[in-house]
């Protein structure tokens, strides 16, 4: 059975839609302020790579689990218009996937599914506040 969770929030004055849909083999996450899918990035990690406990692995300043070093990012569709935006999209994808994997590990999930992240954000918003707002509003996978 497929599970779909979505939420709409206002981040830095911009309406933002966040949707998480689980499939048998992967999880789709869309984060949009533009009403479209945007840049699609697949995030995977070898199943043999351990995820550290969220309690021990969280960055003390952000409260977010650190993405594992073995994480693999694969662009699927679209692309960023600058190197800065490409780095920002990669950061979003890696962090979103890590949060989902940590949450699934808490539920004793057997398989670690790949995460496909679609990102379409306004460029004018405060990047740090928007990033933390998205991470804090991710619905469960």
């Amino acid at each position: 059975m497929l599970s779909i969770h979505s939420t709409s929030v206002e981040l830095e004055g911009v309406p933002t839609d966040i949707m998480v849909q689980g499939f048998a083999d992967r999880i789709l996450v869309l984060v949009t302020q533009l009403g479209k899918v945007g840049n699609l990035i697949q995030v995977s990690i070898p199943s043999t790579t351990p995820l550290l406990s969220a309690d021990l692995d969280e960055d003390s300043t952000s409260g977010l689990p650190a993405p594992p070093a073995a994480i693999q990012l694969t662009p699927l569709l679209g692309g960023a218009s600058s190197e800065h935006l490409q780095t920002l999209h990669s950061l979003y994808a890696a962090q979103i996937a890590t949060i989902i994997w940590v949450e699934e590990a808490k539920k004793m999930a057997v398989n670690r599914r790949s995460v496909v992240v679609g990102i379409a954000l306004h460029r004018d918003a405060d990047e740090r506040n928007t990033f933390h707002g998205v991470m804090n509003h991710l619905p469960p996978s």
Side-chain angles (χ1 to χ4, degrees), residues 10-83:
E10 191 168 300
L11 300 175
E12 297 298 304
V14 180
T16 306
D17 296 316
I18 304 169
M19 188 270 306
V20 178
Q21 182 170 2
F23 295 90
D25 62 341
R26 61 195 50 156
I27 298 170
L28 175 66
V29 180
L30 300 177
V31 178
T32 184
Q33 295 176 328
L34 304 174
K36 58 184 179 178
V37 172
N39 187 12
L40 277 178
I41 302 169
Q42 179 171 289
V43 187
S44 57
I45 187 171
S47 59
T48 56
T49 302
L51 287 175
L52 297 176
S53 166
D55 296 333
L56 301 174
D57 196 30
E58 288 187 4
D59 179 308
S60 60
T61 59
S62 70
L64 298 172
I71 205 163
Q72 298 170 340
L73 302 174
T74 306
L76 298 177
L77 182 67
S81 58
S82 69
E83 193 172 316

Side-chain angles (χ1 to χ4, degrees), residues 72-127:
Q72 298 170 340
L73 302 174
T74 306
L76 298 177
L77 182 67
S81 58
S82 69
E83 193 172 316
H84 173 76
L85 279 179
Q86 182 62 43
T87 301
L88 185 63
H89 290 177
S90 296
L91 178 62
Y92 268 90
Q95 189 65 62
I96 288 169
T98 302
I99 290 170
I100 288 172
W101 291 329
V102 167
E103 289 302 313
E104 284 197 329
K106 288 178 185 177
K107 297 176 189 175
M108 303 295 203
V110 177
N111 296 327
R112 192 175 304 152
R113 299 179 280 177
S114 293
V115 179
V116 177
V117 180
I119 306 165
L121 301 173
H122 281 285
R123 296 183 195 184
D124 301 334
D126 180 292
E127 290 176 357

